[in-house]
Structure formats: C-alpha cells, structure tokens
Amino acid sequence: VGKKRVRRVMKANGIKADYRQPRRNRKQAQADYEASNLLKRRFTQSKPNHVWVTDTTELTYGSGNKVRLHVMLDLYGQAPIAYLISPTETTQSAVKLLSLAIEQRQQ
C-alpha cells in the first residue's frame, strides 16, 4: 500500500491525521524608551555648549562589514564636537563619545 492510496482512502472516509503543529519562533516585543521632547524643535541656539545632540549611523564597507559612527554636535554652531567609530552600538561607546566631547571642549 502506497502513500497516495492511504491518502485517497482517508479522504474518502473523512479521516484526518492528528499531527503536531510546528513551533513558531516569536520574539516578545521589546519595550521602547521614549524621552520627553525637551528641545521642542528649537534647533538654533544662542549660546555655545548649551545643547549637545548625538546621532549614530551604521556604515557598511567591503563585503557586508559594518561599523557604527557616533557623532556629537553642538547646536550653537551645528558642527561636530567629537566622533567615534565602533564595531557595535553599545552604552560604553556613547559614554566614551561624551567623554571625548568634554575633553575637546575643555581644551
């Protein structure tokens, strides 16, 4: 007896096989942290060192290699204060960028 014959007889008699449902890998939604809007879209500042902002960009080079470029800006002159290139986006990278910016401004 072949598979097709068994399938045909089962279908004719309304018999259905009971089989285990495949597991689906679902990730739980991660909680997002949203800070309050302190600037309220006022991106031009009247004093230096009053407001600093930071941004991280992922750059791809070669055959799929990636690095993160972290930049700290002073909104007064809208020029970069400090930058850092790191392989991953971590808290340590952000803290190191802040310490580099403070060092640059104290000189």
Side-chain angles (χ1 to χ4, degrees):
V1 177
K3 290 180 190 178
K4 290 182 180 179
R5 183 175 209 156
V6 171
R7 205 177 291 146
R8 188 173 59 246
V9 171
M10 286 176 67
K11 187 175 182 181
N13 292 309
I15 301 171
K16 293 185 178 182
D18 185 24
Y19 61 94
R20 182 187 291 178
Q21 294 290 327
R23 287 183 61 188
R24 292 179 176 84
N25 293 333
R26 295 185 179 158
K27 294 182 181 178
Q28 290 182 350
Q30 295 179 352
D32 291 332
Y33 174 75
E34 187 174 323
S36 59
N37 186 3
L38 299 175
L39 285 177
K40 296 187 176 49
R41 303 199 53 86
R42 293 176 297 193
F43 298 118
T44 54
Q45 297 296 317
S46 59
K47 297 185 280 186
N49 297 329
H50 188 65
V51 176
W52 289 359
V53 294
T54 184
D55 188 27
T56 302
T57 303
E58 184 178 86
L59 303 172
T60 305
Y61 68 95
S63 60
N65 299 324
K66 295 180 181 180
V67 292
R68 278 30 171 218
L69 172 65
H70 307 273
V71 179
M72 181 80 66
L73 296 174
D74 184 0
L75 287 183
Y76 175 69
Q78 304 214 355
I81 300 169
Y83 68 92
L84 176 71
I85 297 174
S86 67
T88 58
E89 186 175 356
T90 59
T91 307
Q92 290 85 9
S93 300
V95 171
K96 188 173 180 181
L97 177 67
L98 181 61
S99 63
L100 284 172
I102 291 170
E103 286 176 21
Q104 290 289 329
R105 285 300 171 154
Q106 288 179 350
Q107 291 179 2

